[in-house]
Amino acid sequence: MYSQGLIGADGTTEETEEFLAAFQARIDREEKIEPNDPMPEGYRKTLIRQIGQHAHSEIVGMLPEGNWITRAPSLRRKAALLAKVQDEGGHGLYLYSAAETLGVSREQMTEELLSGKAKYSSIFNYPTPTWADMGTIGWLVDGAAIMNQIPLCRCSYGPYARAMIRVCKEESFHQRQGYELLISLCNGTKEQKDMAQDSINRWWWPSLMMFGPHDADSSHSEQSMKWKIKRFSNDELRQKFIDATVPQAEYLGLTVPDPDLKWNPEKNNGKGGYDHGEINWVEFWQVVKGHGQMNRDRIKARKKAWNDGEWVRDAALAHAEKRAARQTAQAAE
Amino acid sequence: MSVALFNALLELGDDHLILGHRVSEWCGHAPLLEEDLAMPNMALDNIGASRNIYTYAGEVEGKGRDEDQLAYLRLDREYKNCLLVERPNEDFAHTMLKQLYFSAFMEPYWQAALSSSDETIRGIAGKAVKEMAYHIRHAGEWVIRLGDGTEESAKRMKEAVEELTPYVEELFVMSADAQECADDGILPDREALRAQWNQTVANIFDQALLELPEVKYPQLGGRTGHHGEEMGFLLAELQYVQRAYPGMSW
C-alpha cells in the first residue's frame, strides 16, 4: 500500500518550452510514456521519488503485519497473513523494477531508505499491538491505498500504471480479507468486539492522513496532476474513502472515532457525503518528520535485515563470479 | 480409531508446523527481497501441509478436534516434532540447511507415500511431494552458494553443518506408532529413506565444498516430547491468542 502524500518531490525541470509543450501534448492525448521516451527531468525525478516511496512503503509495510505471523490465532489466518505479507514484498519488487526503468538501481533506493533520505508511508510508523490490527490494516489502510492506487492504474508512465493494475487486484483482495477478519471479531465475544473497536479507534485518523495534506497545503500536487501522474486531489480521495468506509463500519457495529462525523445531503453536488472533524496535522507532521512511535524501530529493523544479510548477498555474488569464471575456463579448454 | 495412525500423523503434522513457524519468522527480515518472498512460500507450504495432516489426524481420532485444536491446544510434551525443526533460525546458513535436511527427507517420504494404502495420505503426498522437490532445489542452491561463496559464508555454512547434523538421525527413527503404520502400508518406512537422503545431501555438499560429519551422538527426543528450551518460547508465541482468549473463533 502507499500514501499519496508525496513528500519532498522536486518537480523542477530545465528543458526548452518547445520540448515541454510536445511532452505535455502527449500526456494530454493520454499516450503512455515509456522508459526510452524523452521526458522532462522533473517528470523523471518525480516518478523516481514517488515509485521509490511506494516501493519502500511496501517493504516497511511488511513489518507491522509480519509482527503477528507467529501469533496468528488459527492456521487459516496464519496462512492468509503470510500470503498477504508476501504479496506486499512482491509489490515492492515490481515497484523497484518499475523505478529501475527510470535509471535508478534497487540498491541505490534501498540505501536512500536506510539513510532516511527517502520516505515511506507514515501509516507504518504506528504499532500493531493487537490481532484486530491485522483486520483493520487490511480494511482501512489497504482500503485507503486502493483509493489512491486505482487512479494510478491510469498514470501517464506506462511501467508504473501496468504494475499498479496487478497491485490493485491484490490490495482489493487484502481489503476484503481484512474486513472478513473484523466480521469474525464483531460476531464473536465482547472481548473480540472490544478489540476491534480499540483497533479502529487507533487506525481511523492515521488512515485519513494517508491521503496527505489538504489540497491547499499540498505543494507538489499541481504539477503531478498536469503530468497525469496523479488524477484526483488529496481531499477528493479522502472524501471518497470516508463516504465508502463509514457504512462498512456501521455494518460491523463499530463506531468511527469522530464526534463531528455527520451525513450532509448537500455534499458531492447533492449526492450526499459525510462531513468530518479536523485531522490532527500536528501528529501528521510529527510522524512524517520521523517522530512517530515506530519510526526508529522500523528503520532499525530494515537496517538490521540489510546489514545482517550483507554476507549472504556477498556470497551469492562471489559464487556467481566463480561459476562464471569456471565456465569461461572450461570454454577455453 | 487408530491410535498409531493418529500419533504418527501428529509426528508429521508437528514437523511441518514447527518448521513452517521457524521459517516464517524471517518474513520481512530476509537478507534480500527475493528471499522475503521465497521464505514465506516455504512457510506456507509447510504450514499448509500441517493443516491437511492435522485435519486428517482429527478425523482419525474421532473426537471432534480440528486442525487448530491440534495445532494450538496441546502442552509442550504432547508435541511430537523432531528436534531439528524446532532449532532456532540463527542465521541464513542454518535456516537454509535446516530446510534442506528436512526436505531431502520429506521428498522421498511423500514419494513413497504416493503408494500408501490410505487414500487421504496419497492425496496429501501428491501435493507435498512437489513442494518438497522445490524446497530441495531452493535451499540446496543456497547451501551451494554459501558453501562455495566467500570465506565468511563458507565458515558459517560449516558451522551450520556441525551444529545441525546431529539432529538428522531423528528423521529416520521409527516410533512404535510409525512402525505400526508402516507395517500396515499406510505410511512409509522412515529408515528405508536413508540412502536417498544421503544421496541428495551428498550431491549438494559436493558442489558446496562441504563434508557431512560422522555423527557419533545423535540428538533425539522430540518424538517423545522431550524438547529443547527454545520450544517453550516458540509455543508461547504460537499459542498466545488461543490461550489468552480461550474458546473463541477467529
PDB file of all heavy atoms in Angstrom, chain A residues 191-207:
ATOM      1  N   GLU A 191     -15.063  -9.417  24.273  1.00  0.00           N
ATOM      2  CA  GLU A 191     -13.619  -9.111  24.226  1.00  0.00           C
ATOM      3  C   GLU A 191     -13.141  -8.919  22.795  1.00  0.00           C
ATOM      4  O   GLU A 191     -12.343  -8.036  22.507  1.00  0.00           O
ATOM      5  CB  GLU A 191     -12.784 -10.258  24.827  1.00  0.00           C
ATOM      6  CG  GLU A 191     -12.816 -10.365  26.320  1.00  0.00           C
ATOM      7  CD  GLU A 191     -13.488 -11.655  26.740  1.00  0.00           C
ATOM      8  OE1 GLU A 191     -14.630 -11.894  26.253  1.00  0.00           O
ATOM      9  OE2 GLU A 191     -12.895 -12.408  27.518  1.00  0.00           O
ATOM     10  N   GLN A 192     -13.657  -9.749  21.901  1.00  0.00           N
ATOM     11  CA  GLN A 192     -13.232  -9.643  20.497  1.00  0.00           C
ATOM     12  C   GLN A 192     -13.749  -8.354  19.864  1.00  0.00           C
ATOM     13  O   GLN A 192     -13.035  -7.684  19.124  1.00  0.00           O
ATOM     14  CB  GLN A 192     -13.702 -10.867  19.707  1.00  0.00           C
ATOM     15  CG  GLN A 192     -12.902 -12.123  20.039  1.00  0.00           C
ATOM     16  CD  GLN A 192     -13.477 -13.355  19.374  1.00  0.00           C
ATOM     17  OE1 GLN A 192     -14.643 -13.697  19.590  1.00  0.00           O
ATOM     18  NE2 GLN A 192     -12.678 -14.034  18.566  1.00  0.00           N
ATOM     19  N   LYS A 193     -15.001  -8.024  20.168  1.00  0.00           N
ATOM     20  CA  LYS A 193     -15.560  -6.803  19.589  1.00  0.00           C
ATOM     21  C   LYS A 193     -14.846  -5.566  20.155  1.00  0.00           C
ATOM     22  O   LYS A 193     -14.563  -4.610  19.425  1.00  0.00           O
ATOM     23  CB  LYS A 193     -17.063  -6.734  19.871  1.00  0.00           C
ATOM     24  CG  LYS A 193     -17.763  -5.805  18.934  1.00  0.00           C
ATOM     25  CD  LYS A 193     -19.247  -5.948  18.902  1.00  0.00           C
ATOM     26  CE  LYS A 193     -19.783  -4.904  17.941  1.00  0.00           C
ATOM     27  NZ  LYS A 193     -21.238  -4.870  17.884  1.00  0.00           N
ATOM     28  N   ASP A 194     -14.544  -5.629  21.449  1.00  0.00           N
ATOM     29  CA  ASP A 194     -13.804  -4.512  22.064  1.00  0.00           C
ATOM     30  C   ASP A 194     -12.425  -4.359  21.409  1.00  0.00           C
ATOM     31  O   ASP A 194     -11.942  -3.245  21.209  1.00  0.00           O
ATOM     32  CB  ASP A 194     -13.610  -4.752  23.573  1.00  0.00           C
ATOM     33  CG  ASP A 194     -14.908  -4.577  24.354  1.00  0.00           C
ATOM     34  OD1 ASP A 194     -15.895  -4.090  23.760  1.00  0.00           O
ATOM     35  OD2 ASP A 194     -14.947  -4.940  25.546  1.00  0.00           O
ATOM     36  N   MET A 195     -11.821  -5.498  21.097  1.00  0.00           N
ATOM     37  CA  MET A 195     -10.505  -5.474  20.458  1.00  0.00           C
ATOM     38  C   MET A 195     -10.617  -4.789  19.085  1.00  0.00           C
ATOM     39  O   MET A 195      -9.756  -3.984  18.707  1.00  0.00           O
ATOM     40  CB  MET A 195     -10.007  -6.919  20.282  1.00  0.00           C
ATOM     41  CG  MET A 195      -8.549  -7.059  19.917  1.00  0.00           C
ATOM     42  SD  MET A 195      -8.143  -8.752  19.365  1.00  0.00           S
ATOM     43  CE  MET A 195      -7.957  -9.576  20.909  1.00  0.00           C
ATOM     44  N   ALA A 196     -11.706  -5.080  18.370  1.00  0.00           N
ATOM     45  CA  ALA A 196     -11.915  -4.472  17.047  1.00  0.00           C
ATOM     46  C   ALA A 196     -12.164  -2.970  17.182  1.00  0.00           C
ATOM     47  O   ALA A 196     -11.618  -2.159  16.420  1.00  0.00           O
ATOM     48  CB  ALA A 196     -13.088  -5.151  16.341  1.00  0.00           C
ATOM     49  N   GLN A 197     -12.981  -2.578  18.181  1.00  0.00           N
ATOM     50  CA  GLN A 197     -13.276  -1.147  18.353  1.00  0.00           C
ATOM     51  C   GLN A 197     -12.014  -0.374  18.739  1.00  0.00           C
ATOM     52  O   GLN A 197     -11.743   0.701  18.210  1.00  0.00           O
ATOM     53  CB  GLN A 197     -14.377  -0.964  19.422  1.00  0.00           C
ATOM     54  CG  GLN A 197     -14.772   0.496  19.658  1.00  0.00           C
ATOM     55  CD  GLN A 197     -15.388   1.140  18.412  1.00  0.00           C
ATOM     56  OE1 GLN A 197     -16.353   0.618  17.849  1.00  0.00           O
ATOM     57  NE2 GLN A 197     -14.823   2.255  17.952  1.00  0.00           N
ATOM     58  N   ASP A 198     -11.237  -0.962  19.630  1.00  0.00           N
ATOM     59  CA  ASP A 198      -9.980  -0.325  20.048  1.00  0.00           C
ATOM     60  C   ASP A 198      -9.067  -0.122  18.837  1.00  0.00           C
ATOM     61  O   ASP A 198      -8.384   0.895  18.704  1.00  0.00           O
ATOM     62  CB  ASP A 198      -9.309  -1.223  21.098  1.00  0.00           C
ATOM     63  CG  ASP A 198      -7.866  -0.828  21.347  1.00  0.00           C
ATOM     64  OD1 ASP A 198      -7.660   0.214  21.978  1.00  0.00           O
ATOM     65  OD2 ASP A 198      -6.948  -1.544  20.893  1.00  0.00           O
ATOM     66  N   SER A 199      -9.100  -1.092  17.944  1.00  0.00           N
ATOM     67  CA  SER A 199      -8.235  -1.023  16.778  1.00  0.00           C
ATOM     68  C   SER A 199      -8.679   0.094  15.825  1.00  0.00           C
ATOM     69  O   SER A 199      -7.856   0.883  15.358  1.00  0.00           O
ATOM     70  CB  SER A 199      -8.239  -2.386  16.089  1.00  0.00           C
ATOM     71  OG  SER A 199      -7.354  -2.370  15.010  1.00  0.00           O
ATOM     72  N   ILE A 200      -9.979   0.173  15.553  1.00  0.00           N
ATOM     73  CA  ILE A 200     -10.460   1.254  14.650  1.00  0.00           C
ATOM     74  C   ILE A 200     -10.220   2.611  15.315  1.00  0.00           C
ATOM     75  O   ILE A 200      -9.878   3.586  14.647  1.00  0.00           O
ATOM     76  CB  ILE A 200     -11.932   1.047  14.208  1.00  0.00           C
ATOM     77  CG1 ILE A 200     -12.357   2.113  13.205  1.00  0.00           C
ATOM     78  CG2 ILE A 200     -12.897   1.032  15.330  1.00  0.00           C
ATOM     79  CD1 ILE A 200     -13.786   1.973  12.729  1.00  0.00           C
ATOM     80  N   ASN A 201     -10.329   2.678  16.638  1.00  0.00           N
ATOM     81  CA  ASN A 201     -10.042   3.947  17.336  1.00  0.00           C
ATOM     82  C   ASN A 201      -8.621   4.413  17.040  1.00  0.00           C
ATOM     83  O   ASN A 201      -8.365   5.597  16.870  1.00  0.00           O
ATOM     84  CB  ASN A 201     -10.195   3.788  18.852  1.00  0.00           C
ATOM     85  CG  ASN A 201     -11.645   3.606  19.269  1.00  0.00           C
ATOM     86  OD1 ASN A 201     -12.560   3.794  18.460  1.00  0.00           O
ATOM     87  ND2 ASN A 201     -11.859   3.219  20.520  1.00  0.00           N
ATOM     88  N   ARG A 202      -7.706   3.477  16.978  1.00  0.00           N
ATOM     89  CA  ARG A 202      -6.299   3.848  16.746  1.00  0.00           C
ATOM     90  C   ARG A 202      -5.976   4.093  15.275  1.00  0.00           C
ATOM     91  O   ARG A 202      -5.110   4.875  14.941  1.00  0.00           O
ATOM     92  CB  ARG A 202      -5.368   2.761  17.312  1.00  0.00           C
ATOM     93  CG  ARG A 202      -5.289   2.784  18.841  1.00  0.00           C
ATOM     94  CD  ARG A 202      -4.363   1.706  19.401  1.00  0.00           C
ATOM     95  NE  ARG A 202      -4.958   0.375  19.310  1.00  0.00           N
ATOM     96  CZ  ARG A 202      -4.573  -0.578  18.497  1.00  0.00           C
ATOM     97  NH1 ARG A 202      -3.564  -0.395  17.674  1.00  0.00           N
ATOM     98  NH2 ARG A 202      -5.188  -1.759  18.482  1.00  0.00           N
ATOM     99  N   TRP A 203      -6.667   3.399  14.370  1.00  0.00           N
ATOM    100  CA  TRP A 203      -6.271   3.461  12.952  1.00  0.00           C
ATOM    101  C   TRP A 203      -7.081   4.418  12.093  1.00  0.00           C
ATOM    102  O   TRP A 203      -6.680   4.733  10.973  1.00  0.00           O
ATOM    103  CB  TRP A 203      -6.328   2.056  12.316  1.00  0.00           C
ATOM    104  CG  TRP A 203      -5.251   1.165  12.838  1.00  0.00           C
ATOM    105  CD1 TRP A 203      -5.366   0.247  13.832  1.00  0.00           C
ATOM    106  CD2 TRP A 203      -3.872   1.112  12.410  1.00  0.00           C
ATOM    107  NE1 TRP A 203      -4.156  -0.368  14.063  1.00  0.00           N
ATOM    108  CE2 TRP A 203      -3.226   0.142  13.194  1.00  0.00           C
ATOM    109  CE3 TRP A 203      -3.132   1.795  11.439  1.00  0.00           C
ATOM    110  CZ2 TRP A 203      -1.873  -0.185  13.052  1.00  0.00           C
ATOM    111  CZ3 TRP A 203      -1.791   1.480  11.289  1.00  0.00           C
ATOM    112  CH2 TRP A 203      -1.170   0.506  12.095  1.00  0.00           C
ATOM    113  N   TRP A 204      -8.237   4.874  12.601  1.00  0.00           N
ATOM    114  CA  TRP A 204      -9.099   5.701  11.743  1.00  0.00           C
ATOM    115  C   TRP A 204      -8.401   6.978  11.272  1.00  0.00           C
ATOM    116  O   TRP A 204      -8.277   7.238  10.073  1.00  0.00           O
ATOM    117  CB  TRP A 204     -10.408   6.053  12.486  1.00  0.00           C
ATOM    118  CG  TRP A 204     -11.272   6.990  11.695  1.00  0.00           C
ATOM    119  CD1 TRP A 204     -11.431   8.323  11.904  1.00  0.00           C
ATOM    120  CD2 TRP A 204     -12.059   6.652  10.542  1.00  0.00           C
ATOM    121  NE1 TRP A 204     -12.288   8.849  10.960  1.00  0.00           N
ATOM    122  CE2 TRP A 204     -12.682   7.851  10.122  1.00  0.00           C
ATOM    123  CE3 TRP A 204     -12.304   5.475   9.836  1.00  0.00           C
ATOM    124  CZ2 TRP A 204     -13.533   7.904   9.019  1.00  0.00           C
ATOM    125  CZ3 TRP A 204     -13.150   5.523   8.740  1.00  0.00           C
ATOM    126  CH2 TRP A 204     -13.747   6.729   8.342  1.00  0.00           C
ATOM    127  N   TRP A 205      -7.900   7.746  12.245  1.00  0.00           N
ATOM    128  CA  TRP A 205      -7.317   9.036  11.857  1.00  0.00           C
ATOM    129  C   TRP A 205      -6.027   8.873  11.050  1.00  0.00           C
ATOM    130  O   TRP A 205      -5.863   9.538  10.012  1.00  0.00           O
ATOM    131  CB  TRP A 205      -7.102   9.923  13.097  1.00  0.00           C
ATOM    132  CG  TRP A 205      -8.409  10.408  13.668  1.00  0.00           C
ATOM    133  CD1 TRP A 205      -9.014   9.958  14.796  1.00  0.00           C
ATOM    134  CD2 TRP A 205      -9.288  11.389  13.112  1.00  0.00           C
ATOM    135  NE1 TRP A 205     -10.209  10.595  14.991  1.00  0.00           N
ATOM    136  CE2 TRP A 205     -10.406  11.499  13.965  1.00  0.00           C
ATOM    137  CE3 TRP A 205      -9.248  12.204  11.967  1.00  0.00           C
ATOM    138  CZ2 TRP A 205     -11.457  12.368  13.731  1.00  0.00           C
ATOM    139  CZ3 TRP A 205     -10.295  13.084  11.735  1.00  0.00           C
ATOM    140  CH2 TRP A 205     -11.389  13.154  12.608  1.00  0.00           C
ATOM    141  N   PRO A 206      -5.131   7.984  11.483  1.00  0.00           N
ATOM    142  CA  PRO A 206      -3.939   7.777  10.627  1.00  0.00           C
ATOM    143  C   PRO A 206      -4.298   7.342   9.198  1.00  0.00           C
ATOM    144  O   PRO A 206      -3.609   7.717   8.246  1.00  0.00           O
ATOM    145  CB  PRO A 206      -3.169   6.678  11.366  1.00  0.00           C
ATOM    146  CG  PRO A 206      -3.569   6.847  12.801  1.00  0.00           C
ATOM    147  CD  PRO A 206      -5.014   7.266  12.760  1.00  0.00           C
ATOM    148  N   SER A 207      -5.396   6.593   9.043  1.00  0.00           N
ATOM    149  CA  SER A 207      -5.787   6.193   7.684  1.00  0.00           C
ATOM    150  C   SER A 207      -6.204   7.406   6.862  1.00  0.00           C
ATOM    151  O   SER A 207      -5.887   7.504   5.676  1.00  0.00           O
ATOM    152  CB  SER A 207      -6.949   5.192   7.719  1.00  0.00           C
ATOM    153  OG  SER A 207      -6.572   4.056   8.440  1.00  0.00           O
TER     154      SER A 207
END
